[in-house]
Amino acid sequence: MIFFNGCSFTFGEKYRVGIKNFETEYEKVAQHRGRYSVALTSKFKMEEFNISCSGKCNKSIVDETITYLLWALSPDSEYEIPSKIILQTTDFYRTYVPAPGFHTHHRINDLEGQLSWAGKYRKLMIHAAMKQHMEYYGSPTESTALTTQYINPHTNQISVDRRTCGDHTGTHMRFEFAKSFLHLQQICESNDIPLVIMNYYPIGKDFFEDPLFKLINLDNWLLEDPFETGLYEHLEHECFTKCEDNYHWESDAHAYQADILEDFIKNRTKIKVRTDIRMNTEEIIYDYT
């Protein structure tokens, strides 16, 4: 079994303009048949186990993978240990807080509930809102806030406490990702489980010199320089077809990703992203709100 986790790029998102839900079960199945994970598992004649979901953040992608591995590696486990793990990382502007119903979905002794995504989180940082606030006010700090309503014991009136939050630079999520990822890396190395990372967005070249990030084993990463380049940029350079939302990728890009992953797994062939054509990756971040 090959284990996959990522955001909409690995889930196989194909938005149709003006239609939020697929009309038939056949359309849902057809959507997923075209994703790269299906093609890659076919090449290796293995089963696909894909828990990707649109909108996931990098920390959740890593943490859920750790959760599955700890269940699978526990004594007398009924869950299969992956023969390979493929992680697709996304941008660092996504972070979440638990929804009020988190406990009803994330249940004790229930792996499916612990791996599920729907209904468990609220998106805290909205990238589009931050960009708007930067454009109109010169600062993103007022774009996102947590609001608490409580009864003031002194006045016996309802008071509202509004506190701005969110790191518009993505620094917080990069460090959170790195700490979780190093845990995953150690688990895989200790149990001889091949780990492959396909980063869609660069980590950020300034982070390369930090001791925490230097512990990341770049031998497991598909791209030659994941700190400075991302696969989304590479797919743009190669002129693959986009879906109607002008963001997600069509089947030709998914077939290509399956090919380069197969080559990397078999021959350790890395992808070198062109740096003579620069893209502003801040402008290619999808906002699901």
Side-chain angles (χ1 to χ4, degrees):
M1 177 262 282
I2 302 181
F3 181 100
F4 296 86
N5 203 355
C7 68
S8 53
F9 298 115
T10 301
F11 174 73
E13 194 71 67
K14 291 181 67 175
Y15 278 94
R16 294 183 296 172
V17 176
I19 301 177
K20 292 185 177 180
N21 299 310
F22 288 92
E23 296 172 353
T24 67
E25 190 64 27
Y26 171 77
E27 288 179 304
K28 294 178 183 178
V29 173
Q31 173 201 29
H32 293 156
R33 281 178 182 161
R35 64 189 181 187
Y36 74 84
S37 56
V38 174
L40 186 64
T41 50
S42 177
K43 289 173 181 289
F44 285 95
K45 294 180 173 56
M46 292 183 178
E47 294 295 319
E48 173 198 19
F49 189 79
N50 191 332
I51 63 168
S52 304
C53 185
S54 300
K56 277 189 180 181
C57 68
N58 285 324
K59 188 174 186 303
S60 296
I61 291 168
V62 174
D63 286 349
E64 290 168 1
T65 304
I66 291 172
T67 295
Y68 180 85
L69 283 178
L70 293 178
W71 275 69
L73 292 167
S74 64
D76 302 320
S77 174
E78 62 183 84
Y79 297 98
E80 184 178 353
I81 298 173
S83 58
K84 297 176 181 59
I85 294 176
I86 314 291
L87 292 193
Q88 168 259 309
T89 61
T90 187
D91 66 78
F92 289 94
Y93 297 94
R94 304 176 184 187
T95 187
Y96 296 82
V97 293
F102 180 89
H103 66 286
T104 65
H105 299 279
H106 198 96
R107 296 175 293 272
I108 298 170
N109 294 327
D110 180 0
L111 179 58
E112 184 177 350
Q114 293 177 19
L115 296 181
S116 70
W117 180 252
K120 288 167 60 171
Y121 302 100
R122 294 287 182 266
K123 194 171 186 178
L124 178 61
M125 296 165 57
I126 302 173
H127 187 71
M130 288 186 172
K131 288 199 297 184
Q132 289 173 355
H133 274 256
M134 281 293 293
E135 181 180 350
Y136 292 105
Y137 304 111
S139 170
T141 55
E142 293 294 325
S143 66
T144 310
L146 291 176
T147 302
T148 304
Q149 293 188 3
Y150 63 97
I151 298 176
N152 190 317
H154 302 291
T155 64
N156 207 33
Q157 300 292 318
I158 294 178
S159 297
V160 178
D161 182 21
R162 184 181 186 275
R163 301 193 180 191
T164 56
C165 57
D167 172 23
H168 72 280
T169 69
T171 300
H172 171 74
M173 285 306 296
R174 284 176 170 88
F175 277 99
E176 289 297 295
F177 163 76
K179 288 182 287 186
S180 292
F181 180 77
L182 290 174
H183 184 196
L184 173 62
Q185 180 178 280
Q186 185 178 38
I187 293 173
C188 290
E189 289 176 353
S190 299
N191 293 278
D192 295 320
I193 302 172
L195 175 64
V196 176
I197 312 299
M198 182 170 69
N199 64 298
Y200 254 65
Y201 295 89
I203 299 171
K205 60 182 179 181
D206 293 341
F207 291 85
F208 180 71
E209 295 301 323
D210 187 272
L212 191 67
F213 289 84
K214 280 191 172 183
L215 291 172
I216 294 175
N217 183 2
L218 296 181
D219 290 343
N220 298 324
W221 293 61
L222 175 65
L223 271 58
E224 279 193 4
D225 187 1
F227 280 87
E228 190 168 358
T229 60
L231 189 69
Y232 196 100
E233 200 173 353
H234 179 65
L235 296 176
E236 286 268 17
H237 295 166
E238 297 298 316
C239 300
F240 284 103
T241 311
K242 286 186 178 180
C243 302
E244 291 184 29
D245 65 359
N246 198 35
Y247 178 70
H248 294 94
W249 298 100
E250 281 286 359
S251 55
D252 57 345
H254 280 269
Y256 173 74
Q257 288 173 90
D259 289 341
I260 60 177
L261 282 167
E262 179 189 25
D263 195 19
F264 178 73
I265 292 168
K266 291 181 176 178
N267 306 310
R268 311 308 293 176
T269 305
K270 285 179 171 281
I271 296 298
K272 183 176 178 60
V273 180
R274 293 180 61 178
T275 55
D276 58 323
I277 305 175
R278 297 308 302 161
M279 292 181 62
N280 183 2
T281 53
E282 306 292 325
E283 299 301 321
I284 52 175
I285 294 173
Y286 195 81
D287 185 74
Y288 287 94
T289 60

